[in-house]
Amino acid sequence: MMEIGLNHYLVLSTILFSIGLVGVMRRKNLLMLFFATEILLNSVNISFAAISHFYGDLTGQMFAFFVIAIAASEVAVGLGLLIVWHKRHNAIDLDLMSTMKG
Amino acid sequence: MLDNILSILVFFPAIAAIFGFAVAKDSIRAYGVAVAFIEFALSLLLWFSFDSSVSGMQFMEMVPLVPSFGINYILGVDGISLFIVILASFFTMIGIASLGETKNVKNMIISLLFLQMTMAGVFVALDAIVFYVFWELSLVPMLYIIGAWGGPLRIYASVKFFLYTFTGSLIMLVGMLFMAYFYYQATGTWSFAFLEWYRLILPETFQLWLFAAFFIGFAIKVPMFPFHTWLPYAHGQAPTIGSVILAAILLKMGTYAFIRLSLPMFPDASVFFMFPIAIIAIIMIIYTAMVAYAQEDIKQVVAYSSISHMGVIILGTFALNVEGITGSVFLMIAHGVVSGALFLLVGVIYDRRHTKMMAEFGGLASVMPRYATIFGIMLMASVGLPLTINFVGEFLSLLGFYQQSHILTLLAGIAIIVGAIYMLAAYKKMFFGEVTNEENRNLPDVNKRELVALVPLVLITVWLGVYPKPLLEPISNSVKSVVQLMHDKAISEEAKKRIPNLMDGVTRVKEAN
Amino acid sequence: MELLLYTALFAPLVGSLFAALFGASPKTLVTGVVTSLLLGVSLVASTILLVFVITSGQFVHVEMMTWIAAGDLYIPFGFIVDQISVTMMMVVTLVSTVVHVYAIGYMDHDKGFNRFFSWLSAFVFSMMVLVMSDNFAGLFIGWEGVGLCSWGLIGFWYQKESATWAANEAFIMNRIADLGMLIGIFLIYWNTGTLQYHGAFAAMPALENATLVWIGIFLFVGAMGKSAQFPLHTWLADAMEGPTPVSALIHAATMVTAGVYLVIRSHELYALIPNIGLFIASLGAFVAIFAASMALVNRDIKRVIAYSTLSQLGYMFVAAGLGAYWVALFHLMAHAFFKALLFLGAGNVMHAMDSELDPFKMGGLGKKMKVTMIMMTLASVALAGIYPFAGFFSKDLILEAAFVEQHYIIYTVLLVTAGLTAFYSFRIIALIFHGEERYKLFGFHPHEAYKFMLVAMSPLLLLAIIAGSFKLSYFEMVTNLLPAIEYHIHHPLTYWIITLGTQLFVIAAIFFAYKKYMSKSVKVPDGTSAMEKSFFYKLLINQYYIPRFYEEYLIKPYRELSNVFWRHVDQKVVDATVDGIANVIYRTGENSREMQSGNLSTMLKWMVAGLVALLSLAVVFGLATRHSDEIMLILSGLGV
């Protein structure tokens, strides 16, 4: 049986991060964008927790908690805004949301 | 009061300008003239109290600003800057006095007073940051004057002027910061004071880079070829008073800075770059004179002639001996007087005919004889006729540079030929011949308001041409100390050879060629 | 004595300023009278100074005030009256006074009467500064001053395009030469440490020959401009556009002689570099015959006299170049008198003929203008060098000097020129005053000039006749300063053959001229005669096509080049570069604006890109720091 070491967790975290990154780049649907953002945040949580466990420093796990809390509040606000936008425009396609042009 | 006279000279116009906002529109002219007159009187007082035999800084003031970085408010004046300060206040005075019909004259006068503050500030500042602040601040009123009262292309011209000069100044700022850093490395204290920077002897490579950085800033201001193209537009689009102040004073900031900063701080680099800069100066002289000859607009002729004369000034500066640098400082004053007068003269005819194209004129000498006479005198001064102020400066500058290179001086001397060519051709086009254009037939001659500005300038041109001693003496003394400083600080062999050692009792160096 | 010096020097300036006050007003006789009087004062002062210098052999030297003092350079306004300058002062003041009085009559109906006298007196002042200065810088002040005043006087009738063009040409050509002089002055200062004549000349023997040669060359270039030596000669003939009194004063007697004066003043220098002296003499001889040839066919009486001036200047330079400085100065003096007289006489003729200049349209004027005819004839006799008139003593001396010094080519050239001189001078006399009265065909009504003008001219006539008798006393005086070389042809037979031969040659030429141009068959040439079509005629009447050459190959290209510089270089290259840089920045900004599209997806993509870039940089730097030693090894291997 292979030893599951720190590296494995970090690789997992990296894979999840890239998945999230690709999702952020490619998703046109706002809801899907939120999913991808969640994946990004959670991937980082995994690596925080893993490093914290393997080095015996609790700081990482505390940080992960912060991230979870903030992710949750961000999603709450974001979903609220999304629903308001949907009510008004009946679509949540990113390409239609470019009123803040430079 | 004399202890703080420099601060008064610098800030009085600005404070008066702020109060000027409250002055009624009808009295603003009188107010402006009064303020400018007081300023001029103060500058004369400064001259009167100035000791010509002292070569160092006088009337120094110091107030710490940011002590931890060595940024202090230091002012001081010596023979080199004294007369430019007086010239600045003089031109502000006669400029405001002879302002013609101008819309929003209140704004114009307030801008001019602010401009006066910045000009006085540049020439008496002895701390790099204070110097830089005034240097950049001078751009703002000028931008406004050109942009608000200028010709059809005024926005283009003023923005170009501002951005071009500003870019150069930023590079100069980087140079200044580096200089301060080197000073800190060498002595352990921060300082931005010029007098302290003078004492720093830098290795040659550092000098070269710093010289180049400062050079960009100054060269654009002078303006030196090929950074000169902002000037014809600025002059062409600016109102008369804007051109007068620009040519008479603002251009001198660049050449003054060379003598105040580049030469004493980087003597080896100055010698190293002497010949390339001389080549540029010669190009400035001859090339712009030829371009002036091809112009059809009289104001552009005068604008390009300005650049041509600045070439001789630069040449004199880089002669790196007492005669040459004295000549170049004197020529700065002379050029200010003569160019200022020429631009005022162009303004006279523009006020009457609202055109500056020479083809529209012709035969004016019979219609406006007094105008033709004054223009003729200034023309001859510009061409460098002996017994006018320009000759003294040109003669000394060329004489000085002759020591460094015979051939280049011969080439530069072509200035007297090409200068005569374009000036005489322009004068002939405007004044000689028959009156071909009906509109010219009944033009009124110069009136009192215009004469108020022109007559003093003519008198100065002739007086200082015949008796330049009151100016030459203090300038020469201050220049002597600069040259001696340069010689003492120089580390390379070449520099020691080319910069004369005044302690030997002669200002002549054995033929360097 | 000093007071006299200042009087002689500044009286003309006072006159000039006085007249300038009336500059814009119509003619006021008092300006002419006052200026002439003041010049008379100057003349009297100069005469007293002359007597003083002769009798006591001393100089009068003043230093008025400091002019320029910078570094080691010290240039005062200093003036000296020595034998050379007092001779020049006499010539200048005498001819100027005569011309001023003459001009009161000549410029009688001119609107610019007051302005004229202002310029004229200013000119005399500048010339006095030139000849009385005791240093090279003061000389240069006067030098440029006469250039300025001649500009104002040649272009006096400024409504005429040709006049203003000639004025500008004169000024610019003189400036070209002035550059040479300026360089010479620089050389003198940096090598001798002073610009005072006394100090500079004393230091010169110690200098290297090469340096002296350069100083001599450059100073002579300056002289070439003022004295219109080839190739800077075209301005002199064109300068005839100015009023005739101007021609008399400036272009016969004073300004053009400034170059000769310079060489004479610098004799101590030129004595050290005889090769340059020989070059000057050769050029002088060339100019003498060159100018005389052009005068042979010219149809403008003033131009003919102008060419004759040019030719005589050549003679003076031959003398100066060969070291016969006192001879040159003597000829300068004599020439001033009879040449000014000739010009003033021509002025009378022009006035009578409504400013007509073509002698072929005159003829038989002797009947109406007896006095002028006598004056001009006698002046021409003096010019031709017939004994016992002044010209004989001065010109023949030059010929003798050339012969004695064994420069036979120069001698021959000068001899031939003497013949040509006689010919063309009397050609004009014959055409104007003798023969058929062709002027009647053209409707002219000539009359003699005002009596007072004739009276004013008479001193010149007198001097043209008797000036030769001053030779000995002049020699004694001037050789206190100048080398006293006497030119004697030792073998009396040779001497007599040469002298008599020259006289006979000249007289023959005069007769030939009279015969040809007095005959009744003289007609106004209209371009069809065989002579007019001949190559040589065309060459001479077009002044060897030199003005055309200058116009085509110097003036036009300069103008073209200036235009090219402006439109193509300054605007299209230099300025375009600046605008180009500005454009690049602007367009970059425009394009970067796309980044702010407001589209979240795009912006996120940019964020990711930035993140990747920063990460890679961090990795690269980290690796570099970790393996810095190996990297340094590789770099040094590459020779960095």
Side-chain angles (χ1 to χ4, degrees):
Chain A
M1 180 74 154
M2 206 172 44
E3 263 303 309
I4 308 278
L6 177 59
N7 284 336
H8 298 89
Y9 284 102
L10 290 178
V11 168
L12 172 64
S13 174
T14 316
I15 295 174
L16 276 179
F17 192 85
S18 0
I19 293 173
L21 213 55
V22 169
V24 158
M25 283 202 287
R26 298 217 49 198
R27 288 295 178 187
K28 292 291 182 193
N29 189 318
L30 193 55
L31 198 54
M32 292 325 234
L33 196 63
F34 278 125
F35 283 11
T37 315
E38 282 301 307
I39 298 179
L40 278 179
L41 289 168
N42 283 305
S43 78
V44 170
N45 279 341
I46 294 177
S47 71
F48 267 130
I51 294 177
S52 160
H53 173 84
F54 277 99
Y55 281 100
D57 187 357
L58 272 185
T59 322
Q61 296 183 29
M62 275 167 35
F63 214 86
F65 267 112
F66 272 112
V67 175
I68 294 174
I70 293 187
S73 34
E74 168 238 321
V75 165
V77 174
L79 284 178
L81 289 173
L82 185 150
I83 294 187
V84 172
W85 183 274
H86 184 78
K87 275 213 186 122
R88 202 173 282 190
H89 296 271
N90 242 338
I92 43 174
D93 188 7
L94 276 183
D95 285 332
L96 299 172
M97 291 186 199
S98 31
T99 47
M100 281 184 65
K101 273 193 192 311
Chain B
M1 181 180 90
L2 269 183
D3 283 337
N4 293 315
I5 191 163
L6 289 180
S7 291
I8 300 179
L9 267 174
V10 172
F11 289 109
F12 169 68
I15 298 174
I18 294 177
F19 281 120
F21 277 116
V23 173
K25 211 158 54 152
D26 297 322
S27 358
I28 191 66
R29 273 180 201 266
Y31 179 75
V33 174
V35 170
F37 180 75
I38 297 175
E39 175 82 0
F40 180 60
L42 283 173
S43 69
L44 285 182
L45 176 64
L46 177 69
W47 186 9
F48 187 67
S49 335
F50 187 83
D51 187 348
S52 301
S53 53
V54 169
S55 63
M57 291 290 166
Q58 297 179 40
F59 300 103
M60 284 189 69
E61 301 175 32
M62 170 154 134
V63 172
L65 286 177
V66 183
S68 48
F69 277 108
I71 303 176
N72 304 311
Y73 171 78
I74 309 179
L75 298 183
V77 72
D78 70 352
I80 299 173
S81 45
L82 172 69
F83 295 107
I84 314 184
V85 170
I86 300 176
L87 191 71
S89 61
F90 179 71
F91 264 104
T92 306
M93 180 179 73
I94 61 174
I96 295 183
S98 68
L99 265 186
E101 271 302 305
T102 320
K103 52 181 174 50
N104 298 325
V105 72
K106 185 158 155 179
N107 298 341
M108 169 71 93
I109 291 184
I110 293 177
S111 316
L112 284 172
L113 290 176
F114 272 121
L115 191 56
Q116 170 62 30
M117 167 187 86
T118 63
M119 294 194 295
V122 166
F123 291 112
V124 300
L126 287 181
D127 177 279
I129 298 297
V130 176
F131 177 82
Y132 183 76
V133 165
F134 282 120
W135 178 278
E136 296 291 69
L137 268 183
S138 72
L139 296 179
V140 175
M142 206 62 216
L143 172 73
Y144 182 50
I145 291 178
I146 301 179
W149 287 278
L153 282 179
R154 58 186 180 274
I155 303 294
Y156 170 74
S158 55
V159 170
K160 186 167 184 169
F161 159 69
F162 188 88
L163 288 179
Y164 208 158
T165 327
F166 194 71
T167 314
S169 314
L170 282 177
I171 302 178
M172 174 176 83
L173 181 65
V174 170
M176 281 180 179
L177 293 175
F178 263 106
M179 187 73 194
Y181 179 67
F182 288 142
Y183 188 83
Y184 174 66
Q185 293 279 55
T187 62
T189 47
W190 285 99
S191 172
F192 278 86
F194 289 161
L195 292 178
E196 311 218 339
W197 283 2
Y198 284 172
R199 291 195 254 123
L200 185 65
I201 299 187
L202 290 169
E204 219 174 316
T205 33
F206 287 17
Q207 282 192 35
L208 292 177
W209 282 106
L210 283 174
F211 184 91
F214 278 91
F215 177 79
I216 303 280
F218 304 153
I220 298 182
K221 198 87 170 168
V222 168
M224 291 178 76
F225 180 92
F227 308 116
H228 65 284
T229 48
W230 61 266
L231 189 74
Y233 282 109
H235 274 310
Q237 303 302 317
T240 303
I241 184 68
S243 285
V244 169
I245 302 278
L246 179 61
I249 318 292
L250 291 183
L251 294 188
K252 310 301 175 295
M253 288 186 187
T255 50
Y256 163 80
F258 271 120
I259 301 180
R260 182 62 79 212
L261 292 175
S262 295
L263 255 56
M265 295 201 301
F266 317 121
D268 303 283
S270 301
V271 173
F272 182 82
F273 282 115
M274 174 171 61
F275 283 118
I277 292 184
I279 305 280
I280 296 182
I282 291 174
I283 297 179
M284 274 165 80
I285 296 173
I286 302 181
Y287 168 81
T288 53
M290 293 180 77
V291 174
Y293 181 57
Q295 296 300 315
E296 292 153 5
D297 175 331
I298 182 70
K299 199 164 189 190
Q300 297 288 55
V301 172
V302 183
Y304 278 106
S305 90
S306 260
I307 307 179
S308 196
H309 286 298
M310 298 308 274
V312 184
I313 296 180
I314 295 287
L315 204 65
T317 305
F318 281 89
L320 302 178
N321 53 32
V322 179
E323 289 89 354
I325 301 181
T326 308
S328 88
V329 175
F330 192 84
L331 190 54
M332 286 188 219
I333 312 290
H335 173 260
V337 171
V338 174
S339 277
L342 281 173
F343 278 115
L344 280 172
L345 287 165
V346 170
V348 165
I349 195 71
Y350 180 73
D351 279 344
R352 284 154 178 65
R353 293 267 283 118
H354 296 289
T355 173
K356 291 173 255 173
M357 306 306 276
M358 294 192 280
E360 291 281 325
F361 305 131
L364 287 179
S366 43
V367 178
M368 304 167 73
R370 278 202 210 109
Y371 177 64
T373 313
I374 298 181
F375 205 111
I377 297 176
M378 281 306 161
L379 154 89
M380 284 303 162
S382 171
V383 156
L385 195 75
L387 295 187
T388 60
I389 195 175
N390 261 17
F391 174 74
V392 178
E394 270 184 29
F395 181 77
L396 285 173
S397 302
L398 290 176
L399 180 69
F401 197 80
Y402 191 74
Q403 239 223 341
Q404 304 287 8
S405 162
H406 301 318
I407 308 277
L408 290 181
T409 311
L410 179 66
L411 284 177
I414 297 181
I416 65 173
I417 303 173
V418 289
I421 295 180
Y422 68 74
M423 256 346 234
L424 287 178
Y427 193 79
K428 176 159 170 269
K429 267 185 234 166
M430 279 183 68
F431 291 96
F432 289 152
E434 295 286 348
V435 179
T436 46
N437 194 328
E438 276 314 304
E439 295 185 41
N440 293 330
R441 226 172 259 283
N442 292 317
L443 293 177
D445 209 343
V446 279
N447 59 36
K448 281 210 199 63
R449 177 177 49 79
E450 290 154 347
L451 280 178
V452 155
L454 290 171
V455 168
L457 289 172
V458 169
L459 289 175
I460 294 178
T461 305
V462 176
W463 169 56
L464 284 178
V466 173
Y467 187 57
K469 184 159 173 238
L471 263 66
L472 278 182
E473 211 184 305
I475 297 177
S476 187
N477 281 327
S478 298
V479 168
K480 278 197 190 127
S481 66
V482 170
V483 173
Q484 189 55 43
L485 177 70
M486 283 178 74
H487 183 86
D488 293 336
K489 278 180 64 173
I491 33 185
S492 67
E493 278 256 336
E494 177 81 9
K496 284 269 188 232
K497 206 169 50 145
R498 285 199 181 265
I499 305 174
N501 187 350
L502 301 176
M503 290 302 148
D504 284 344
V506 289
T507 59
R508 272 174 290 124
V509 157
K510 288 286 161 286
E511 284 298 299
N513 275 7
Chain C
M1 277 302 130
E2 279 82 21
L3 185 62
L4 281 172
L5 190 157
Y6 284 125
T7 317
L9 179 63
F10 285 109
L13 178 65
V14 171
S16 173
L17 290 173
F18 175 79
L21 291 173
F22 299 87
S25 332
K27 167 189 162 174
T28 34
L29 189 59
V30 75
T31 54
V33 171
V34 167
T35 47
S36 307
L37 273 175
L38 282 167
L39 267 184
V41 166
S42 186
L43 173 62
V44 168
S46 305
T47 319
I48 302 179
L49 285 166
L50 173 72
V51 171
F52 173 73
V53 167
I54 291 183
T55 51
S56 72
Q58 284 175 343
F59 305 164
V60 181
H61 190 176
V62 297
E63 186 182 303
M64 200 169 91
M65 66 183 199
T66 317
W67 185 31
I68 299 181
D72 264 349
L73 179 65
Y74 177 72
I75 305 179
F77 283 130
F79 303 104
I80 187 169
V81 177
D82 61 8
Q83 287 84 352
I84 304 176
S85 63
V86 85
T87 314
M88 293 295 299
M89 281 165 70
M90 284 305 298
V91 170
V92 170
T93 49
L94 190 85
V95 178
S96 311
T97 315
V98 169
V99 168
H100 267 74
V101 176
Y102 177 88
I104 298 180
Y106 190 83
M107 302 297 286
D108 199 28
H109 300 293
D110 198 294
K111 267 197 306 173
F113 186 86
N114 307 332
R115 182 165 54 98
F116 183 78
F117 280 98
S118 183
W119 277 111
L120 207 61
S121 285
F123 174 84
V124 179
F125 172 67
S126 307
M127 194 69 199
M128 293 299 266
V129 169
L130 201 159
V131 302
M132 287 168 75
S133 278
D134 72 345
N135 62 66
F136 280 102
L139 176 82
F140 194 71
I141 297 178
W143 197 266
E144 294 268 310
V146 294
L148 166 70
C149 295
S150 72
W151 175 77
L153 285 167
I154 297 174
F156 183 73
W157 289 316
Y158 55 77
Q159 282 96 344
K160 269 175 81 183
E161 162 75 27
S162 54
T164 52
W165 191 88
N168 283 358
E169 180 193 25
F171 194 84
I172 293 173
M173 250 187 186
N174 267 292
R175 270 271 153 138
I176 298 177
D178 291 345
L179 176 60
M181 179 142 166
L182 209 56
I183 301 288
I185 291 181
F186 292 160
L187 267 171
I188 294 177
Y189 174 68
W190 286 118
N191 283 298
T192 64
T194 173
L195 288 178
Q196 305 288 111
Y197 292 148
H198 185 73
F201 291 136
M204 276 187 195
L207 294 177
E208 268 180 37
N209 195 271
T211 318
L212 289 174
V213 165
W214 281 115
I215 297 179
I217 291 180
F218 276 119
L219 286 181
F220 182 64
V221 169
M224 278 168 73
K226 274 284 175 292
S227 299
Q229 297 295 291
F230 181 88
L232 295 172
H233 65 281
T234 50
W235 71 267
L236 186 64
D238 290 334
M240 296 301 119
E241 291 284 338
T244 310
V246 169
S247 311
L249 181 60
I250 294 182
H251 305 116
T254 44
M255 173 165 146
V256 294
T257 55
V260 184
Y261 167 78
L262 175 63
V263 174
I264 296 176
R265 176 58 82 188
S266 312
H267 66 92
E268 292 178 55
L269 164 66
Y270 286 104
L272 296 169
I273 40 174
N275 286 329
I276 300 296
L278 187 59
F279 170 72
I280 295 178
S282 314
L283 183 65
F286 169 71
V287 168
I289 198 165
F290 173 73
S293 63
M294 291 195 287
L296 287 175
V297 302
N298 209 290
R299 290 172 60 179
D300 176 330
I301 51 178
K302 277 177 72 172
R303 267 186 184 242
V304 171
I305 307 179
Y307 286 130
S308 115
T309 301
L310 193 51
S311 185
Q312 296 305 308
L313 284 171
Y315 272 85
M316 292 178 221
F317 276 113
V318 168
L322 293 179
Y325 301 106
W326 67 271
V327 178
L329 190 57
F330 188 62
H331 190 53
L332 193 159
M333 187 174 77
H335 170 263
F337 300 138
F338 50 70
K339 192 48 66 66
L341 185 62
L342 265 178
F343 266 115
L344 293 182
N348 287 343
V349 170
M350 277 176 65
H351 223 50
M353 296 285 292
D354 242 347
S355 303
E356 175 57 57
L357 288 167
D358 189 346
F360 282 102
K361 295 198 182 136
M362 306 176 192
L365 279 178
K367 297 198 189 89
K368 291 268 169 69
M369 304 178 69
K370 264 216 167 35
V371 182
T372 307
M373 175 179 83
I374 297 177
M375 284 191 171
M376 281 186 79
T377 313
L378 289 176
S380 300
V381 172
L383 172 60
I386 309 279
Y387 182 88
F389 286 66
F392 169 74
F393 290 97
S394 55
K395 255 170 78 167
D396 243 56
L397 261 179
I398 301 180
L399 284 167
E400 267 186 66
F403 191 82
V404 166
E405 297 281 330
Q406 297 179 333
H407 295 292
Y408 295 116
I409 305 182
I410 294 184
Y411 172 77
T412 321
V413 167
L414 289 185
L415 182 64
V416 170
T417 311
L420 293 178
T421 309
F423 177 76
Y424 65 66
S425 313
F426 280 92
R427 167 177 176 258
I428 296 296
I429 301 285
L431 279 175
I432 297 177
F433 294 110
H434 301 278
E436 282 259 354
E437 290 167 337
R438 296 181 296 278
Y439 65 85
K440 291 205 175 121
L441 298 168
F442 297 94
F444 291 114
H445 300 287
H447 55 87
E448 184 59 277
Y450 296 133
K451 274 230 172 33
F452 78 87
M453 286 162 74
L454 295 173
V455 168
M457 286 159 72
S458 51
L460 292 179
L461 179 64
L462 187 64
L463 282 166
I465 300 175
I466 65 169
S469 61
F470 297 143
K471 189 179 93 157
L472 274 174
S473 42
Y474 162 81
F475 178 74
E476 269 173 36
M477 171 187 85
V478 101
T479 47
N480 280 321
L481 265 193
L482 294 173
I485 312 174
E486 299 203 27
Y487 296 95
H488 281 322
I489 300 177
H490 293 293
H491 207 268
L493 189 62
T494 326
Y495 174 72
W496 280 111
I497 292 181
I498 287 183
T499 317
L500 273 179
T502 320
Q503 293 284 282
L504 286 173
F505 178 44
V506 164
I507 293 178
I510 296 178
F511 269 117
F512 180 50
Y514 265 120
K515 184 157 156 291
K516 189 158 179 214
Y517 291 105
M518 247 173 90
S519 79
K520 298 247 184 281
S521 62
V522 169
K523 278 196 273 297
V524 181
D526 52 3
T528 52
S529 73
M531 185 179 82
E532 278 175 282
K533 293 215 191 103
S534 81
F535 169 74
F536 280 110
Y537 181 84
K538 285 217 191 95
L539 189 67
L540 292 178
I541 199 138
N542 282 309
Q543 306 169 62
Y544 293 93
Y545 294 106
I546 292 180
R548 188 91 70 85
F549 176 82
Y550 286 165
E551 171 78 31
E552 285 296 313
Y553 295 104
L554 291 178
I555 301 180
K556 272 215 192 98
Y558 183 83
R559 210 178 289 143
E560 289 301 314
L561 193 61
S562 300
N563 255 311
V564 163
F565 274 155
W566 179 35
R567 288 181 208 281
H568 297 283
V569 177
D570 214 53
Q571 286 190 327
K572 293 215 182 105
V573 173
V574 182
D575 207 27
T577 318
V578 175
D579 282 356
I581 296 177
N583 254 322
V584 162
I585 298 177
Y586 188 72
R587 268 185 280 116
T588 315
E590 282 278 311
N591 290 334
S592 310
R593 212 224 266 172
E594 307 295 315
M595 278 207 275
Q596 296 286 81
S597 58
N599 187 325
L600 187 59
S601 192
T602 323
M603 296 208 273
L604 285 169
K605 290 202 184 90
W606 278 110
M607 276 171 65
V608 170
L611 180 71
V612 167
L614 284 174
L615 262 178
S616 349
L617 269 178
V619 165
V620 166
F621 269 119
L623 284 175
T625 346
R626 256 219 278 156
H627 302 282
S628 56
D629 297 326
E630 288 99 327
I631 296 177
M632 289 302 283
L633 212 61
I634 299 174
L635 283 177
S636 62
L638 286 172
V640 164

